[in-house]
Amino acid sequence: ITAGARSLFCSQQQKQMVGVILATASYDHTIRLWEAPTGICYRTIQYQDSQVNCLCTTPDRQCLVAGGFSHIRLFDLNSKNPQAVGSFDGHTSNITSVGYQRDGRWMYSGSEDCTIRVWDARTFTVQRELKHNAAVNTVALHPNEREFFSGDQQGNLRVWDINGNECTIEMVPDGETPIRSVAINTEGTMAVATNNKGKCFVWSWESRLLDDGYQYDDT
């Protein structure tokens, strides 16, 4: 990696010679695939559009999804084809988050253009658009696949009803300090968020007391 690393992702491949791979992306416009047990880079993909901000794999582990500036590209992990095999186009700024619904029918993305988008994974078309009032830095899909949890550059945390296309809860845990990352546990009972001051906030999702969380301060 010849420039600042921007994103990484670990996946287990079931078909190819490599069992577990680590995918990294960087400001140097490359995606690199590594053999996790040996640390050997066995493939480099050139991402011509921009730096790469985020990565994920499709649920079947056959393709790697990369988000850069305004474009999301899909690359085949099981071939040496250097070209993208699909593209999600429509954002107008940096893509900051990408992820998939568990069956792979749709994917989602967050962007600094202040939107979260839901895409049809087969047709690469936008199905829904949710709007923040600031750049979206991070998005997590709840295990129930009916809600998003997102954070933005102005310090706002939001819970979204995907089918209703609306924000159901909004919080500002630490003023206008940008939210850097959000996550939800696999059981869907707890949510966490971190901000640029190094603070971590934890809430109970089940009780819906998302405005009554614990705070961990590492400043």
Side-chain angles (χ1 to χ4, degrees):
I1 298 174
T2 59
R6 184 68 174 173
S7 183
L8 60 85
F9 194 88
C10 188
S11 174
Q12 183 168 357
Q13 287 297 96
Q14 298 177 346
K15 288 186 177 181
Q16 295 293 87
M17 54 186 175
V18 180
V20 179
I21 65 169
L22 177 69
T24 61
S26 169
Y27 279 110
D28 66 3
H29 293 221
T30 66
I31 299 167
R32 297 178 188 266
L33 305 182
W34 309 77
E35 295 180 6
T38 65
I40 295 173
C41 177
Y42 71 92
R43 182 181 174 189
T44 300
I45 301 170
Q46 297 295 325
Y47 194 90
Q48 303 294 343
D49 301 299
S50 66
Q51 81 283 351
V52 182
N53 300 319
C54 49
L55 296 172
C56 76
T57 61
T58 53
D60 61 9
R61 300 294 192 263
Q62 300 304 301
C63 292
L64 184 71
V65 181
F69 181 84
S70 77
H71 300 290
I72 302 168
R73 306 297 191 204
L74 193 70
F75 297 93
D76 187 351
L77 286 172
N78 294 314
S79 78
K80 295 184 179 180
N81 179 9
Q83 303 301 317
V85 296
S87 181
F88 300 89
D89 299 315
H91 281 297
T92 59
S93 189
N94 281 311
I95 314 298
T96 55
S97 294
V98 286
Y100 269 84
Q101 175 263 353
R102 69 171 64 93
D103 294 329
R105 291 181 288 109
W106 52 269
M107 69 157 288
Y108 62 91
S109 58
S111 171
E112 290 179 356
D113 66 7
C114 307
T115 68
I116 300 168
R117 298 191 179 202
V118 177
W119 308 80
D120 187 312
R122 296 163 298 178
T123 63
F124 303 101
T125 56
V126 177
Q127 301 298 300
R128 298 182 186 277
E129 182 178 280
L130 308 171
K131 293 187 177 182
H132 267 256
N133 294 324
V136 178
N137 290 335
T138 177
V139 184
L141 176 64
H142 192 279
N144 65 23
E145 300 192 333
R146 298 190 301 272
E147 296 172 293
F148 286 133
F149 188 38
S150 62
D152 68 28
Q153 188 66 16
Q154 289 184 351
N156 300 293
L157 286 167
R158 294 187 178 190
V159 176
W160 300 87
D161 178 345
I162 298 173
N163 292 329
N165 222 51
E166 63 178 353
C167 174
T168 57
I169 298 175
E170 184 173 4
M171 301 165 287
V172 185
D174 193 24
E176 294 185 357
T177 304
I179 302 297
R180 187 49 48 200
S181 181
V182 297
I184 303 169
N185 68 343
T186 54
E187 293 79 15
T189 58
M190 303 293 291
V192 297
T194 60
N195 69 13
N196 277 7
K197 288 183 178 178
K199 294 180 180 179
C200 178
F201 305 91
V202 183
W203 297 272
S204 168
W205 194 281
E206 285 184 323
S207 67
R208 311 305 287 176
L209 295 176
L210 295 180
D211 59 346
D212 190 24
Y214 299 99
Q215 176 180 322
Y216 299 88
D217 192 343
D218 192 33
T219 54

